[in-house]
Amino acid sequence: MLAVLLALCMIFTLLPAAVFAASEEGAAGIAKNPGGSGIDNLSDSAAIAGSIAGGGSQNGSDVAANDGSDTAVNGVTDISGGSGVRVDTMVRDNYTDCDVTDAINITAGRDYIIDFSKDDNLSLALRSMADLDKTKYYKFANSDNNSLVETENPDEALLKIVGHKDENKAVITLVQSIDQDMSFDLKFMRTQYTGAKLTYMGMTEDENGNQIIHEIRDDYYTRYHFNCKLNLVAAAEVNPDPGNTDPGNTDQGKDSNAAGRTDAKAQKSDSAAKTGDDASPLLWAGILLLAAVSGGTAVLYRRKAKN
């Protein structure tokens, strides 16, 4: 019984020392890594920025960004757990502007390919509208028909964009039926979030001795300014030739036959040009034969008359 009481006394004596040592070790960890990578549960802004530090992209998600070139927001937030360390984050928005002026030509019944390996402004802008992992639908955003906006309702959609991740491309098709060619002047801006970068600026203390971590989070956006034509081309109806097994080349086959007939006529014209007469050679041969027979008959008749 005496041994048990001694053991309990030792436990209660050493427990406060162990707790104090653990708290000192945590404070030392914060001092060694003031940038935040070794601190858990920072403010939401610091945690988000830390997860994508270095400018990495988060799936290219679209956001409604401010139109200003740069904005700054200062805020000091307590770290969860009440450790006394706070984070002062200044947020700056950075924009890259791209002008899209090339026409978008989409033919009914045919695929329009968005090649994700291309880096021209039109390809990049259309890539921002697509998702390699799913299908998206777009409609006109207003009655002026000068801007496109995503919709969840396929029945009201104008265009469908299907992603093909295995081929690193997306395919645009015209959803609505048209019976004649149509052209629209697109004039709108689309903003795409491309990533963020977190910069550690130092650490200070407030009047109460609490540590404050200062950092800058740069958010990056690309703004695509569409100022181009959207041309919708109605599919041309083709009447295939019964003797032609390739409907796609029906017009081409007819042109070839017509060309053959034209060449034959041209050869005949060339032959006539060499003789200087368009009459058939057989007609001249018949005339010569008749002349020869008539001459022979006249000679025989004279000989008989003399005799």
Side-chain angles (χ1 to χ4, degrees), residues 93-305:
D93 293 339
N94 304 272
Y95 297 94
T96 300
D97 294 296
C98 294
D99 293 324
V100 182
T101 57
D102 294 334
I104 305 171
N105 302 311
I106 300 177
T107 302
R110 296 183 184 178
D111 294 342
Y112 183 98
I113 305 299
I114 305 174
D115 189 347
F116 274 59
S117 64
K118 294 183 177 180
D119 58 359
D120 58 280
N121 286 356
L122 177 59
S123 297
L124 293 175
L126 294 178
R127 279 172 52 180
S128 73
M129 300 174 63
D131 189 327
L132 288 176
D133 294 319
K134 63 181 182 180
T135 299
K136 287 188 172 185
Y137 294 90
Y138 286 86
K139 66 176 182 178
F140 283 124
N142 50 47
S143 59
D144 294 333
N145 296 337
N146 60 6
S147 63
L148 297 172
V149 65
E150 187 175 357
T151 177
E152 298 295 333
N153 184 6
D155 294 334
E156 66 177 5
L158 174 71
L159 303 174
K160 178 174 71 172
I161 305 180
V162 181
H164 297 273
K165 189 173 184 178
D166 55 337
E167 301 179 20
N168 198 34
K169 71 176 184 180
V171 177
I172 302 179
T173 54
L174 181 62
V175 177
Q176 296 184 6
S177 300
I178 58 174
D179 54 6
Q180 61 181 358
D181 296 348
M182 308 175 71
S183 183
F184 304 93
D185 293 318
L186 296 182
K187 294 183 183 296
F188 71 101
M189 182 183 71
R190 180 176 179 80
T191 303
Q192 182 184 29
Y193 173 76
T194 55
K197 179 181 178 182
L198 187 65
T199 304
Y200 169 71
M201 301 302 294
M203 181 180 290
T204 60
E205 290 186 357
D206 61 12
E207 63 276 6
N208 297 322
N210 296 320
Q211 292 179 324
I212 302 176
I213 298 174
H214 301 277
E215 62 186 15
I216 297 176
R217 192 186 78 208
D218 287 291
D219 291 333
Y220 295 93
Y221 304 87
T222 301
R223 297 186 295 200
Y224 297 103
H225 301 270
F226 285 82
N227 187 13
C228 62
K229 290 280 189 181
L230 173 61
N231 298 319
L232 305 180
V233 182
E237 295 184 1
V238 178
N239 297 321
D241 188 349
N244 189 356
T245 58
D246 187 1
N249 294 329
T250 301
D251 292 338
Q252 183 178 354
K254 291 181 179 179
D255 291 342
S256 298
N257 294 335
R261 291 193 296 268
T262 303
D263 291 342
K265 291 181 179 179
Q267 291 178 359
K268 184 181 294 184
S269 299
D270 292 342
S271 299
K274 291 178 182 179
T275 60
D277 196 340
D278 291 337
S280 174
L282 293 177
L283 178 61
W284 286 110
I287 294 173
L288 290 174
L289 180 61
L290 289 175
V293 171
S294 299
T297 302
V299 171
L300 290 175
Y301 179 77
R302 288 181 181 179
R303 287 180 179 179
K304 286 181 180 181

